[in-house]
Amino acid sequence: MIKFLDLQKINLLHQDEIEARLIKTFRSGWYLLGEEVKQFENNLSAYIGAPHAIGTANGLDALRLIFKAYIELGVMQPGDEVIVPANTYIASLLAITDNNLVPVLVEPDINTYNINISLIEENISPKTKAIMIVHLYGQVIFDAELKALAQKHNLKIIEDNAQAIGAAWQGVRTGNLGDAAGFSFYPGKNLGALGDAGAVTTNDELLANTIRALANYGSEEKYVNKFQGLNSRLDEMQAAVLDIKLQYLDTENGIRRQVAKYYNENIKNPLIILPEMPSDGNNHVWHLYVIRTPERDRLQKHLADNGVQTLIHYPIPPHKQEAYPQLNHLSLPITEQIHREVLSLPISPVLTEEEIKKVADTINNYK
Ligand SMILES: *Cc1c(COP(=O)(O)O)cnc(C)c1O
């Protein structure tokens, strides 16, 4: 069985370093808001190119905290609207609605699965305060038109960078393209912790300070509470692991690019639509390799019967979820088609040549 993602193998690549650092952190007797978090935040900030990085408990909290901070700062108010791609993972919407902001869903481009920038302006209202871009599956969504649109309408650009750490647009990394970005270090992400972890990056010092306080009970000074905050801290053990794995991220993303290239060159089946290769390879870090086919469930069964595990990202779009009755009436045909047809193939830095060949061959045998 070829696993969709072999997390054990991925983390054992760095076994000696990780184990030594975890033992050191364990023995230090200091488990929160210490040197490991500080060092990882500094290294993440340098890697992304944004002057501020703040560790959080997970990716959802990173995004929630960005909106919460903008509300505390008076930049946004409950009831304001945020533009978001309709086919994103539910967490992007939860970060918006948890802050009593209103998500305005915009259809993606069927070829890139990213938000269709040309549809954004018609969805802007006097209440719109932000565009949340999601670099879905690891591919950058950003261009000069989007930047100009945000400037023209005085909108914040917030990046959901949970899936695209390491990708870059014209030499600028995701996480440094907009006003603030949320990262997830969920174990299966390209930079994965050994549990939950996340971060925010921004070049806005006031926003950074507000988020840091909000994530720690709304406190800048112990027992002095400036805001009604929450408890969402990155812990020292996770920061230690992430700080090691960050050093290997570019190499591992490079291997993902090779796997994607192999699939694109070797899967030749007219029933299957392959993802586009971006002309600038840096635009994609291939968190997921997503193909599309009308009879997706039949293909998934064919692969499973032949020992290849696949997943669907995602089977139900946010506007069809029971959690969002206020969105259930929407008709978003491209989004709905994507959710019916997509399938994610195994991709990771630890797949062998034999395994990727088997995946491609099995798809080529599908009729
Ligand atoms: C993983 C993910 C998140 C949430 O991250 P968690 O760390 O699981 O909270 C948010 N948005 C997207 C697009 C994701 O893929």
Side-chain angles (χ1 to χ4, degrees):
M1 178 71 154
I2 299 173
K3 284 189 188 170
F4 177 73
L5 193 66
D6 189 339
L7 282 179
Q8 184 184 44
K9 206 169 169 190
I10 286 173
N11 286 313
L12 286 177
L13 283 176
H14 315 296
Q15 177 172 13
D16 293 347
E17 253 184 296
I18 290 175
E19 287 182 357
R21 188 84 163 258
L22 285 175
I23 289 171
K24 179 174 160 245
T25 308
F26 162 63
R27 290 183 180 166
S28 78
W30 194 280
Y31 306 115
L32 284 168
L33 302 180
E35 288 307 314
E36 292 291 350
V37 169
K38 208 174 286 172
Q39 185 173 324
F40 173 63
E41 285 177 344
N42 288 340
N43 286 333
L44 180 67
S45 152
Y47 178 81
I48 298 299
H52 308 281
I54 305 111
T56 61
N58 55 64
L60 171 58
D61 278 2
L63 295 168
R64 283 168 71 202
L65 283 160
I66 293 169
F67 289 111
K68 197 169 168 62
Y70 276 129
I71 290 174
E72 290 291 351
L73 294 171
V75 174
M76 296 178 195
Q77 291 174 29
D80 284 342
E81 294 173 0
V82 178
I83 291 187
V84 63
N87 61 322
T88 187
Y89 179 56
I90 197 82
S92 317
L93 266 81
L94 290 170
I96 297 169
T97 55
D98 185 63
N99 283 290
N100 298 311
L101 297 163
V102 179
V104 175
L105 302 181
V106 172
E107 287 263 62
D109 177 319
I110 188 78
N111 297 311
T112 64
Y113 308 110
N114 269 326
I115 193 166
N116 186 336
I117 290 173
S118 69
L119 299 177
I120 292 179
E121 192 157 32
E122 67 199 53
N123 282 284
I124 294 173
S125 86
K127 291 201 151 204
T128 310
K129 291 290 160 62
I131 303 169
M132 185 191 248
I133 50 174
V134 183
H135 307 294
L136 203 67
Y137 305 153
Q139 182 169 17
V140 176
I141 177 69
F142 194 80
D143 65 11
E145 185 191 347
L146 177 75
K147 199 172 170 175
L149 204 60
Q151 258 157 10
K152 177 177 162 196
H153 295 275
N154 195 24
L155 307 177
K156 299 292 181 194
I157 295 179
I158 295 166
E159 294 176 81
D160 179 338
N161 197 28
Q163 300 190 358
I165 186 166
W169 179 79
Q170 296 188 354
V172 181
R173 286 205 200 272
T174 56
N176 198 24
L177 292 168
D179 295 282
F183 293 69
S184 167
F185 306 120
Y186 175 80
K189 298 288 161 73
N190 287 28
L191 178 60
L194 306 182
D196 277 315
V200 174
T201 57
T202 179
N203 47 36
D204 180 336
E205 186 173 3
L206 183 59
L207 186 78
N209 292 341
T210 308
I211 289 171
R212 197 176 283 289
L214 282 171
N216 188 29
Y217 292 109
S219 163
E220 280 167 352
E221 192 187 327
K222 205 166 189 182
Y223 304 128
V224 180
N225 299 85
K226 193 164 170 185
F227 311 107
Q228 293 177 26
L230 43 121
N231 175 356
S232 181
R233 299 177 295 224
L234 173 63
D235 70 68
E236 292 280 291
M237 297 290 269
Q238 298 304 339
V241 173
L242 291 167
D243 197 49
I244 291 167
K245 290 182 72 178
L246 180 60
Q247 298 171 265
Y248 302 102
L249 179 64
D250 286 345
T251 305
E252 293 180 1
N253 281 342
I255 301 171
R256 287 172 180 273
R257 288 189 181 111
Q258 285 170 16
V259 175
K261 184 163 178 279
Y262 181 91
Y263 285 158
N264 269 46
E265 288 172 357
N266 291 280
I267 298 176
K268 292 186 165 84
N269 183 329
L271 297 172
I272 310 295
I273 297 163
L274 300 176
E276 282 179 356
M277 273 284 155
S279 52
D280 175 355
N282 293 323
N283 285 2
H284 210 322
V285 292
W286 300 99
H287 171 57
L288 296 170
Y289 183 93
V290 177
I291 62 174
R292 194 153 59 80
T293 187
E295 291 182 69
R296 183 261 319 276
D297 295 348
R298 190 166 70 83
L299 174 63
Q300 186 172 37
K301 184 172 181 305
H302 168 80
L303 284 159
D305 289 347
N306 288 283
V308 178
Q309 189 187 19
T310 57
L311 293 179
I312 297 166
H313 299 91
Y314 300 90
I316 307 172
H319 72 285
K320 294 290 183 193
Q321 298 283 359
E322 201 180 334
Y324 283 117
Q326 70 273 36
L327 303 176
N328 289 170
H329 70 281
L330 293 173
S331 165
L332 296 156
I334 294 171
T335 297
E336 288 157 28
Q337 183 190 350
I338 287 171
H339 288 76
R340 274 196 309 274
E341 297 186 348
V342 289
L343 189 67
S344 306
L345 304 185
I347 190 162
S348 83
V350 295
L351 284 170
T352 64
E353 266 174 58
E354 207 178 320
E355 287 172 322
I356 58 177
K357 182 172 185 308
K358 182 175 170 192
V359 173
D361 290 347
T362 308
I363 294 179
N364 289 336
N365 294 334
Y366 170 74
K367 290 186 197 75

PDB file of all heavy atoms in Angstrom, residues 58-60 63 88-89 91-92 134 136 160 162-163 184-186 189 196-197 314, ligand 1:
ATOM      1  N   ASN A  58      -2.202  26.916  16.631  1.00  0.00           N
ATOM      2  CA  ASN A  58      -2.568  26.193  15.399  1.00  0.00           C
ATOM      3  C   ASN A  58      -2.843  27.211  14.300  1.00  0.00           C
ATOM      4  O   ASN A  58      -2.820  28.429  14.547  1.00  0.00           O
ATOM      5  CB  ASN A  58      -3.801  25.289  15.637  1.00  0.00           C
ATOM      6  CG  ASN A  58      -4.972  26.067  16.191  1.00  0.00           C
ATOM      7  OD1 ASN A  58      -5.503  26.951  15.528  1.00  0.00           O
ATOM      8  ND2 ASN A  58      -5.358  25.775  17.417  1.00  0.00           N
ATOM      9  N   GLY A  59      -3.127  26.714  13.108  1.00  0.00           N
ATOM     10  CA  GLY A  59      -3.338  27.604  11.967  1.00  0.00           C
ATOM     11  C   GLY A  59      -4.659  28.357  12.025  1.00  0.00           C
ATOM     12  O   GLY A  59      -4.731  29.526  11.640  1.00  0.00           O
ATOM     13  N   LEU A  60      -5.690  27.683  12.488  1.00  0.00           N
ATOM     14  CA  LEU A  60      -6.983  28.366  12.607  1.00  0.00           C
ATOM     15  C   LEU A  60      -6.852  29.563  13.550  1.00  0.00           C
ATOM     16  O   LEU A  60      -7.319  30.662  13.236  1.00  0.00           O
ATOM     17  CB  LEU A  60      -8.060  27.392  13.119  1.00  0.00           C
ATOM     18  CG  LEU A  60      -9.409  28.015  13.505  1.00  0.00           C
ATOM     19  CD1 LEU A  60     -10.050  28.763  12.340  1.00  0.00           C
ATOM     20  CD2 LEU A  60     -10.372  26.940  14.023  1.00  0.00           C
ATOM     21  N   LEU A  63      -5.180  32.613  11.988  1.00  0.00           N
ATOM     22  CA  LEU A  63      -6.091  33.411  11.154  1.00  0.00           C
ATOM     23  C   LEU A  63      -7.125  34.152  11.998  1.00  0.00           C
ATOM     24  O   LEU A  63      -7.420  35.322  11.753  1.00  0.00           O
ATOM     25  CB  LEU A  63      -6.786  32.493  10.132  1.00  0.00           C
ATOM     26  CG  LEU A  63      -5.860  31.843   9.097  1.00  0.00           C
ATOM     27  CD1 LEU A  63      -6.583  30.736   8.343  1.00  0.00           C
ATOM     28  CD2 LEU A  63      -5.320  32.886   8.119  1.00  0.00           C
ATOM     29  N   THR A  88     -12.273  26.995  -0.441  1.00  0.00           N
ATOM     30  CA  THR A  88     -11.195  26.832   0.532  1.00  0.00           C
ATOM     31  C   THR A  88     -11.574  25.815   1.598  1.00  0.00           C
ATOM     32  O   THR A  88     -12.710  25.343   1.668  1.00  0.00           O
ATOM     33  CB  THR A  88     -10.846  28.183   1.187  1.00  0.00           C
ATOM     34  OG1 THR A  88      -9.671  28.022   2.010  1.00  0.00           O
ATOM     35  CG2 THR A  88     -11.979  28.716   2.049  1.00  0.00           C
ATOM     36  N   TYR A  89     -10.611  25.485   2.441  1.00  0.00           N
ATOM     37  CA  TYR A  89     -10.866  24.645   3.604  1.00  0.00           C
ATOM     38  C   TYR A  89     -11.688  25.453   4.607  1.00  0.00           C
ATOM     39  O   TYR A  89     -11.540  26.664   4.714  1.00  0.00           O
ATOM     40  CB  TYR A  89      -9.529  24.187   4.213  1.00  0.00           C
ATOM     41  CG  TYR A  89      -9.690  23.334   5.435  1.00  0.00           C
ATOM     42  CD1 TYR A  89     -10.460  22.169   5.391  1.00  0.00           C
ATOM     43  CD2 TYR A  89      -9.085  23.676   6.637  1.00  0.00           C
ATOM     44  CE1 TYR A  89     -10.616  21.387   6.518  1.00  0.00           C
ATOM     45  CE2 TYR A  89      -9.231  22.891   7.766  1.00  0.00           C
ATOM     46  CZ  TYR A  89      -9.997  21.752   7.702  1.00  0.00           C
ATOM     47  OH  TYR A  89     -10.168  20.986   8.822  1.00  0.00           O
ATOM     48  N   ALA A  91     -11.544  26.112   7.609  1.00  0.00           N
ATOM     49  CA  ALA A  91     -10.860  26.950   8.608  1.00  0.00           C
ATOM     50  C   ALA A  91     -10.795  28.418   8.175  1.00  0.00           C
ATOM     51  O   ALA A  91     -10.904  29.317   9.019  1.00  0.00           O
ATOM     52  CB  ALA A  91      -9.448  26.426   8.864  1.00  0.00           C
ATOM     53  N   SER A  92     -10.626  28.659   6.873  1.00  0.00           N
ATOM     54  CA  SER A  92     -10.561  30.053   6.406  1.00  0.00           C
ATOM     55  C   SER A  92     -11.851  30.773   6.778  1.00  0.00           C
ATOM     56  O   SER A  92     -11.835  31.919   7.234  1.00  0.00           O
ATOM     57  CB  SER A  92     -10.380  30.124   4.885  1.00  0.00           C
ATOM     58  OG  SER A  92      -9.439  29.206   4.413  1.00  0.00           O
ATOM     59  N   VAL A 134      -6.123  32.475  -0.353  1.00  0.00           N
ATOM     60  CA  VAL A 134      -5.707  31.158   0.143  1.00  0.00           C
ATOM     61  C   VAL A 134      -4.842  30.544  -0.955  1.00  0.00           C
ATOM     62  O   VAL A 134      -5.339  30.317  -2.067  1.00  0.00           O
ATOM     63  CB  VAL A 134      -6.937  30.261   0.415  1.00  0.00           C
ATOM     64  CG1 VAL A 134      -6.492  28.922   0.998  1.00  0.00           C
ATOM     65  CG2 VAL A 134      -7.937  30.962   1.338  1.00  0.00           C
ATOM     66  N   LEU A 136      -4.067  27.868  -2.317  1.00  0.00           N
ATOM     67  CA  LEU A 136      -4.597  26.513  -2.177  1.00  0.00           C
ATOM     68  C   LEU A 136      -3.710  25.474  -2.858  1.00  0.00           C
ATOM     69  O   LEU A 136      -3.202  25.706  -3.958  1.00  0.00           O
ATOM     70  CB  LEU A 136      -6.022  26.448  -2.738  1.00  0.00           C
ATOM     71  CG  LEU A 136      -6.875  25.304  -2.175  1.00  0.00           C
ATOM     72  CD1 LEU A 136      -7.187  25.494  -0.693  1.00  0.00           C
ATOM     73  CD2 LEU A 136      -8.160  25.150  -2.967  1.00  0.00           C
ATOM     74  N   ASP A 160      -4.067  33.215   3.810  1.00  0.00           N
ATOM     75  CA  ASP A 160      -4.131  31.909   4.459  1.00  0.00           C
ATOM     76  C   ASP A 160      -3.002  31.112   3.819  1.00  0.00           C
ATOM     77  O   ASP A 160      -3.124  30.595   2.703  1.00  0.00           O
ATOM     78  CB  ASP A 160      -5.493  31.251   4.227  1.00  0.00           C
ATOM     79  CG  ASP A 160      -5.572  29.870   4.880  1.00  0.00           C
ATOM     80  OD1 ASP A 160      -4.515  29.281   5.130  1.00  0.00           O
ATOM     81  OD2 ASP A 160      -6.699  29.392   5.101  1.00  0.00           O
ATOM     82  N   ALA A 162      -1.544  28.409   4.995  1.00  0.00           N
ATOM     83  CA  ALA A 162      -1.438  27.089   5.627  1.00  0.00           C
ATOM     84  C   ALA A 162      -0.817  26.051   4.695  1.00  0.00           C
ATOM     85  O   ALA A 162      -0.170  25.113   5.151  1.00  0.00           O
ATOM     86  CB  ALA A 162      -2.815  26.617   6.085  1.00  0.00           C
ATOM     87  N   GLN A 163      -1.016  26.216   3.379  1.00  0.00           N
ATOM     88  CA  GLN A 163      -0.597  25.161   2.453  1.00  0.00           C
ATOM     89  C   GLN A 163       0.613  25.534   1.592  1.00  0.00           C
ATOM     90  O   GLN A 163       1.056  24.715   0.803  1.00  0.00           O
ATOM     91  CB  GLN A 163      -1.787  24.788   1.538  1.00  0.00           C
ATOM     92  CG  GLN A 163      -2.988  24.284   2.334  1.00  0.00           C
ATOM     93  CD  GLN A 163      -4.086  23.676   1.483  1.00  0.00           C
ATOM     94  OE1 GLN A 163      -3.992  23.646   0.265  1.00  0.00           O
ATOM     95  NE2 GLN A 163      -5.133  23.188   2.124  1.00  0.00           N
ATOM     96  N   SER A 184      -0.149  27.255   9.171  1.00  0.00           N
ATOM     97  CA  SER A 184      -0.447  26.052   9.953  1.00  0.00           C
ATOM     98  C   SER A 184       0.755  25.125   9.893  1.00  0.00           C
ATOM     99  O   SER A 184       1.326  24.903   8.817  1.00  0.00           O
ATOM    100  CB  SER A 184      -1.649  25.325   9.366  1.00  0.00           C
ATOM    101  OG  SER A 184      -1.747  24.019   9.925  1.00  0.00           O
ATOM    102  N   PHE A 185       1.103  24.586  11.054  1.00  0.00           N
ATOM    103  CA  PHE A 185       2.156  23.558  11.106  1.00  0.00           C
ATOM    104  C   PHE A 185       1.568  22.227  11.564  1.00  0.00           C
ATOM    105  O   PHE A 185       2.231  21.425  12.212  1.00  0.00           O
ATOM    106  CB  PHE A 185       3.304  24.015  12.024  1.00  0.00           C
ATOM    107  CG  PHE A 185       3.857  25.368  11.664  1.00  0.00           C
ATOM    108  CD1 PHE A 185       3.830  26.414  12.584  1.00  0.00           C
ATOM    109  CD2 PHE A 185       4.378  25.616  10.408  1.00  0.00           C
ATOM    110  CE1 PHE A 185       4.318  27.672  12.260  1.00  0.00           C
ATOM    111  CE2 PHE A 185       4.865  26.874  10.068  1.00  0.00           C
ATOM    112  CZ  PHE A 185       4.830  27.906  10.995  1.00  0.00           C
ATOM    113  N   TYR A 186       0.298  22.030  11.226  1.00  0.00           N
ATOM    114  CA  TYR A 186      -0.363  20.724  11.391  1.00  0.00           C
ATOM    115  C   TYR A 186       0.586  19.661  10.829  1.00  0.00           C
ATOM    116  O   TYR A 186       1.276  19.920   9.823  1.00  0.00           O
ATOM    117  CB  TYR A 186      -1.684  20.817  10.603  1.00  0.00           C
ATOM    118  CG  TYR A 186      -2.514  19.573  10.510  1.00  0.00           C
ATOM    119  CD1 TYR A 186      -3.334  19.188  11.559  1.00  0.00           C
ATOM    120  CD2 TYR A 186      -2.501  18.796   9.349  1.00  0.00           C
ATOM    121  CE1 TYR A 186      -4.124  18.050  11.458  1.00  0.00           C
ATOM    122  CE2 TYR A 186      -3.278  17.655   9.243  1.00  0.00           C
ATOM    123  CZ  TYR A 186      -4.083  17.280  10.314  1.00  0.00           C
ATOM    124  OH  TYR A 186      -4.857  16.158  10.200  1.00  0.00           O
ATOM    125  N   LYS A 189       1.209  19.249   7.011  1.00  0.00           N
ATOM    126  CA  LYS A 189       1.565  20.392   6.156  1.00  0.00           C
ATOM    127  C   LYS A 189       3.034  20.298   5.731  1.00  0.00           C
ATOM    128  O   LYS A 189       3.795  19.518   6.288  1.00  0.00           O
ATOM    129  CB  LYS A 189       1.287  21.707   6.899  1.00  0.00           C
ATOM    130  CG  LYS A 189      -0.203  21.903   7.265  1.00  0.00           C
ATOM    131  CD  LYS A 189      -1.054  22.206   6.049  1.00  0.00           C
ATOM    132  CE  LYS A 189      -2.534  21.967   6.260  1.00  0.00           C
ATOM    133  NZ  LYS A 189      -3.255  22.899   7.082  1.00  0.00           N
ATOM    134  N   ASP A 196      -0.276  20.087  17.060  1.00  0.00           N
ATOM    135  CA  ASP A 196      -0.778  21.341  16.503  1.00  0.00           C
ATOM    136  C   ASP A 196       0.196  22.487  16.734  1.00  0.00           C
ATOM    137  O   ASP A 196       0.833  22.576  17.782  1.00  0.00           O
ATOM    138  CB  ASP A 196      -2.128  21.697  17.149  1.00  0.00           C
ATOM    139  CG  ASP A 196      -3.294  20.976  16.486  1.00  0.00           C
ATOM    140  OD1 ASP A 196      -3.333  20.944  15.244  1.00  0.00           O
ATOM    141  OD2 ASP A 196      -4.144  20.442  17.208  1.00  0.00           O
ATOM    142  N   ALA A 197       0.274  23.369  15.740  1.00  0.00           N
ATOM    143  CA  ALA A 197       1.097  24.574  15.862  1.00  0.00           C
ATOM    144  C   ALA A 197       0.769  25.497  14.697  1.00  0.00           C
ATOM    145  O   ALA A 197       0.278  25.044  13.659  1.00  0.00           O
ATOM    146  CB  ALA A 197       2.589  24.224  15.835  1.00  0.00           C
ATOM    147  N   TYR A 314     -11.653  19.111  -1.277  1.00  0.00           N
ATOM    148  CA  TYR A 314     -12.370  18.573  -0.129  1.00  0.00           C
ATOM    149  C   TYR A 314     -13.698  18.041  -0.642  1.00  0.00           C
ATOM    150  O   TYR A 314     -14.186  18.517  -1.664  1.00  0.00           O
ATOM    151  CB  TYR A 314     -12.577  19.686   0.899  1.00  0.00           C
ATOM    152  CG  TYR A 314     -11.235  20.237   1.372  1.00  0.00           C
ATOM    153  CD1 TYR A 314     -10.633  21.311   0.708  1.00  0.00           C
ATOM    154  CD2 TYR A 314     -10.554  19.627   2.420  1.00  0.00           C
ATOM    155  CE1 TYR A 314      -9.381  21.773   1.107  1.00  0.00           C
ATOM    156  CE2 TYR A 314      -9.311  20.102   2.819  1.00  0.00           C
ATOM    157  CZ  TYR A 314      -8.723  21.168   2.158  1.00  0.00           C
ATOM    158  OH  TYR A 314      -7.484  21.607   2.528  1.00  0.00           O
TER     159      TYR A 314
HETATM  160  C1  LIG B   1      -4.646  23.365   7.576  1.00  0.00           C
HETATM  161  C2  LIG B   1      -5.367  24.570   7.141  1.00  0.00           C
HETATM  162  C3  LIG B   1      -5.827  25.548   8.046  1.00  0.00           C
HETATM  163  C4  LIG B   1      -5.899  25.337   9.524  1.00  0.00           C
HETATM  164  O1  LIG B   1      -4.765  24.948  10.178  1.00  0.00           O
HETATM  165  P1  LIG B   1      -4.824  24.129  11.537  1.00  0.00           P
HETATM  166  O2  LIG B   1      -3.406  24.181  12.005  1.00  0.00           O
HETATM  167  O3  LIG B   1      -5.302  22.757  11.240  1.00  0.00           O
HETATM  168  O4  LIG B   1      -5.728  24.857  12.477  1.00  0.00           O
HETATM  169  C5  LIG B   1      -6.360  26.710   7.549  1.00  0.00           C
HETATM  170  N1  LIG B   1      -6.493  26.924   6.219  1.00  0.00           N
HETATM  171  C6  LIG B   1      -6.093  26.002   5.317  1.00  0.00           C
HETATM  172  C7  LIG B   1      -6.244  26.315   3.862  1.00  0.00           C
HETATM  173  C8  LIG B   1      -5.530  24.796   5.739  1.00  0.00           C
HETATM  174  O5  LIG B   1      -5.148  23.897   4.825  1.00  0.00           O
END
